[in-house]
Amino acid sequence: MARNMQIRDVPDDVADAIAARARAKGQSAQAYMLSLLVADTRRSRNIDLIAQFEGRDDGMHSAPGQTADLVRQSRAEREEQLAESTGDCRCS
């Protein structure tokens, strides 16, 4: 279901800016304003979703750079395992 909306008393400079932006995008002022409203609504939903997880403690904490270090360590261990299984072990 779609609803009609109307905004009254829009200052001239604001209306002119909206019209100019709409023209630059090849849109009517109405289509341009609708796209702004849709984008704002989507952002609001995203903000609401993020807020649901705010303060959540799932037990996963890492210091800056720690994740990259863990990935490097895991890769090195995996390479060592592969080398051992193929007989190309370069370990001491």
Side-chain angles (χ1 to χ4, degrees), residues 2-7 15 18-23 25-38:
R3 295 187 181 169
N4 291 325
M5 296 180 76
Q6 184 177 18
I7 301 174
I18 289 169
R21 289 181 182 162
R23 275 192 307 277
K25 291 182 170 261
Q27 297 178 314
S28 66
Q30 179 178 333
Y32 177 74
M33 291 300 300
L34 179 58
S35 70
L36 292 179
L37 291 171
V38 169

Side-chain angles (χ1 to χ4, degrees), residues 8-50:
R8 299 177 191 267
D9 303 319
V10 177
D12 289 340
D13 61 328
V14 173
D16 291 343
I18 289 169
R21 289 181 182 162
R23 275 192 307 277
K25 291 182 170 261
Q27 297 178 314
S28 66
Q30 179 178 333
Y32 177 74
M33 291 300 300
L34 179 58
S35 70
L36 292 179
L37 291 171
V38 169
D40 185 67
T41 300
R42 287 183 180 149
R43 276 191 300 276
S44 295
R45 288 180 187 152
N46 290 344
I47 290 168
D48 293 343
L49 181 62
I50 290 168

